[in-house]
Structures are given as C-alpha cells and as structure tokens.
Amino acid sequence: MKILITGTSEGIGKAIALKFLAEGHKVIGIDKEEATIENGQYTHIKKNICDKSLPEIEGVEVLINNAGVQESGNDIDVNLKGTISITEKYGIQDKIKSIIFIASASARTGSEFPEYVASKGGMVAYMKNVALRVAKYGATSNSISAGGVTTKLNQHIIDDPVLWKQVLNETLLDKWASAEEIAEFAYFISVVNKSMTGEDIFIDNGEALKSNFIW
C-alpha cells in the first residue's frame, strides 16, 4: 500500500515508517529535517507540514499524522492546524483506507503544557470529525494517545536517574512504551483493523489509572 507519514526523521514517526517498510509497503515521509531512513521503498520530502505549498501526492491509502512539537510557542499551529492541513489534502479522498493521529495521553488527562494539551485534545476531536467524513470510503480514522515514550525528545528525563525513577513511579507497570511498540499499534489499527473507527487508543502503562487508596 501507499503510506504517507509525517515526522519520520526520528522517534515514533521513524519507528512507524520502519515498521511499514519491513512489511513491504511503500512509504513517503514528510519532515522538516533531512532523511534518516535509507530504503528503496522510502521517499523523503523535506517540508514543514505548516507550509502552504504542500506537494501533490496522489492515491494515499494510509495516512499517519505524527509530526508535532512541544512547548514551542507554535504547538497549536503545528500539531493541530498543520495536521488538519495534511489530512484535508491527502486523507479525505476515495483511495484512503485508514488515517491515524498520534495524539497524547495529555489530551485526556490535561497534565502537560497548556498549548500542547489543547493541540492534542483538538486533534482527538478532529479525528472523530474525520471518521464521520471518510466512512463513505469504507475507511477508518483513529488516534493513539501515548503517555511516556522512550524517544530522543524525552532523553533528558531518561538520562536523569532521579527524574526517571519519579516518572516510572507514576505508572502501574514501572515502564514507558518504546517507539517500536507504538509503531506496532499504528500498524494494527491502520492495516489489520477494519471495524474500529472514531476511537482514541490510550497507551500509558497505567499512569492515569494509578491511585493511592487512603482511608
């Protein structure tokens, strides 16, 4: 299939791209940074998802909206408006089979930076709107809201023993997800899944559930 993924230069986006490539799909990546994937089935487009002049890409079958920023001053412009722009251009068409939005656990808990939370919460709401509109094509639209993920973005936490212990203590399973695990979810939801749509998949190692019962 023809897969379009935003934010493929590192982290979750790169892991998702590598998963689809390993499964034999053609992958197109859009990222403002240079390519970090070398594969004959991979095409890299160096572009900011907020650019007005997005390239023409016909016949996208799976769209993965992953590109985003955190506490940048442009969180809403990039994470929400940029994602909407990409989806409207490449996702709302009759060849589409699945659209995935990489949101955040904070969209449900509200526990991070204000504009970041708002951008990801808006993304989940927009995902549901997209589900309503692509249903006529037999396509699904879902989001993945992950808690902590062991990516370069969070390296400053991972490398600090005190801080790392504190964040792991907030989870039930005493761990964070890997980017590769999120990629497995993205693949299943977009390729194997044919019936679930309009849903937000919450993956946080039990962080939101953890509570201390006090008499």
Side-chain angles (χ1 to χ4, degrees), residues 10-102:
E10 62 181 30
I12 294 172
K14 184 175 182 178
I16 294 173
L18 291 173
K19 171 63 180 178
F20 274 93
L21 289 167
E23 297 292 337
H25 299 281
K26 293 182 179 179
V27 175
I28 301 167
I30 296 179
D31 197 296
K32 65 179 182 178
E33 304 297 337
E34 298 289 348
T36 59
I37 296 172
E38 294 183 4
N39 186 297
Q41 293 289 89
Y42 178 74
T43 301
H44 190 81
I45 299 171
K46 187 178 178 182
K47 200 79 168 174
N48 190 312
I49 64 169
C50 295
D51 285 353
K52 299 297 182 183
S53 57
L54 292 169
E56 295 302 321
I57 305 171
E58 301 295 330
V60 172
E61 295 171 272
V62 174
L63 171 61
I64 312 287
N65 284 298
N66 167 76
V69 294
Q70 186 179 73
E71 204 182 15
S72 67
N74 297 308
D75 290 22
I76 291 175
D77 285 337
V78 177
N79 300 348
L80 185 54
K81 292 182 180 179
T83 292
I84 290 173
S85 178
I86 290 287
T87 305
E88 295 298 322
K89 186 170 182 67
Y90 305 117
I92 313 299
Q93 41 85 15
D94 61 5
K95 296 294 191 296
I96 198 69
K97 292 180 171 60
S98 177
I99 301 175
I100 302 292
F101 298 84
I102 304 301

Side-chain angles (χ1 to χ4, degrees), residues 1 9 21 24 42 65 82 85 118 131 153 157 164 189 196-197 203 213:
M1 288 196 294
S9 288
L21 289 167
Y42 178 74
N65 284 298
S85 178
L153 179 68
I157 298 171
W164 185 231
I189 294 166
M196 181 182 68
T197 193
I203 306 167
F213 181 66

Side-chain angles (χ1 to χ4, degrees), residues 100-112:
I100 302 292
F101 298 84
I102 304 301
S104 168
S106 64
R108 191 176 301 190
T109 65
S111 62
E112 289 190 59

